[in-house]
C-alpha cells in the first residue's frame, strides 16, 4: 500500500481564538503548542508536493519504486526522531515561557496552518 507523503496525523481538528487560549492553563498551552509544532513539522517540508495528509507518491505521479520508498521512509524516520527530541526539549523549557508568548505562538501556528488550507484551495 502506498505511504502518505504528509503524515495522516498532521491535522488539527479545533482552532482556538485569543480569548479561549488566554483562559487555558499554562500546562494546556504547552501541550497545544507542542501539538501544533508537530503538525507544522510534518507538513511544511512537503508543501511543494502536498499539504493534505494522505497524499501518496502515486497520487502525485511519482514512481512508487524502491528508491523513492526508501527516501520517504528515511525522511519519515528523521522527522519522527526530530519531533521526539524537540518535544522532550519543549516539555522541559516551555514551562518557563511567558504565558502570553505561548498564546501568541499558538495563534501564529494556527494562522500558518489556516494559510496552508487557503493555498490548497487555490
Amino acid at each position: 500500500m502506498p505511504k502518505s507523503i504528509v503524515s495522516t496525523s498532521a491535522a488539527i481538528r479545533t482552532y482556538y481564538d485569543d480569548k479561549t487560549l488566554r483562559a487555558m492553563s499554562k500546562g494546556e498551552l504547552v501541550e497545544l503548542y507542542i501539538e501544533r509544532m508537530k503538525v507544522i513539522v510534518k507538513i511544511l517540508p512537503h508543501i511543494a508536493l502536498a499539504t493534505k495528509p494522505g497524499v501518496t507518491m502515486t497520487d502525485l505521479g511519482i514512481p512508487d519504486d524502491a528508491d523513492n520508498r526508501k527516501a520517504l521512509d528515511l525522511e519519515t524516520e528523521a522527522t519522527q526522531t526530530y519531533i521526539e527530541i524537540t518535544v522532550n526539549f519543549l516539555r522541559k523549557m516551555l514551562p518557563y515561557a511567558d504565558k502570553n508568548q505561548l498564546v501568541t505562538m499558538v495563534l501564529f501556528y494556527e494562522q500558518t496552518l489556516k494559510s496552508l488550507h487557503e493555498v490548497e484551495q487555490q
Side-chain angles (χ1 to χ4, degrees), residues 79-119:
T79 299
Q80 189 56 40
T81 299
Y82 171 78
I83 287 173
E84 288 171 12
I85 291 168
T86 301
V87 166
N88 287 336
F89 172 79
L90 292 174
R91 286 197 198 288
K92 290 177 181 160
M93 300 299 157
L94 285 180
Y96 297 100
D98 178 72
K99 183 178 176 180
N100 291 328
Q101 186 69 6
L102 284 170
V103 168
T104 300
M105 292 302 103
V106 167
L107 290 170
F108 173 77
Y109 278 167
E110 289 188 357
Q111 187 59 46
T112 301
L113 292 165
K114 287 177 187 175
S115 295
L116 284 173
H117 294 303
E118 290 173 12
V119 167

Side-chain angles (χ1 to χ4, degrees), residues 1-116:
M1 176 177 237
K3 292 184 180 179
S4 176
I5 291 175
V6 175
S7 172
T8 54
S9 66
I12 298 213
R13 287 156 189 59
T14 304
Y15 290 91
Y16 296 94
D17 62 17
D18 185 69
K19 182 179 178 183
T20 304
L21 290 172
R22 291 194 186 285
M24 290 182 175
S25 71
K26 198 174 197 182
E28 290 171 311
L29 290 170
V30 165
E31 292 307 311
L32 202 54
Y33 180 95
I34 289 170
E35 177 187 301
R36 275 35 181 176
M37 178 277 305
K38 288 178 183 179
V39 172
I40 294 277
V41 167
K42 291 176 182 178
I43 293 176
L44 278 184
H46 309 105
I47 61 174
L49 296 168
T51 57
K52 291 182 183 179
V55 176
T56 66
M57 290 187 292
T58 304
D59 295 333
L60 299 171
I62 299 170
D64 190 10
D65 59 28
D67 286 341
N68 290 340
R69 282 191 303 273
K70 183 178 179 180
L72 181 58
D73 288 344
L74 286 172
E75 194 280 336
T76 301
E77 289 174 30
T79 299
Q80 189 56 40
T81 299
Y82 171 78
I83 287 173
E84 288 171 12
I85 291 168
T86 301
V87 166
N88 287 336
F89 172 79
L90 292 174
R91 286 197 198 288
K92 290 177 181 160
M93 300 299 157
L94 285 180
Y96 297 100
D98 178 72
K99 183 178 176 180
N100 291 328
Q101 186 69 6
L102 284 170
V103 168
T104 300
M105 292 302 103
V106 167
L107 290 170
F108 173 77
Y109 278 167
E110 289 188 357
Q111 187 59 46
T112 301
L113 292 165
K114 287 177 187 175
S115 295
L116 284 173

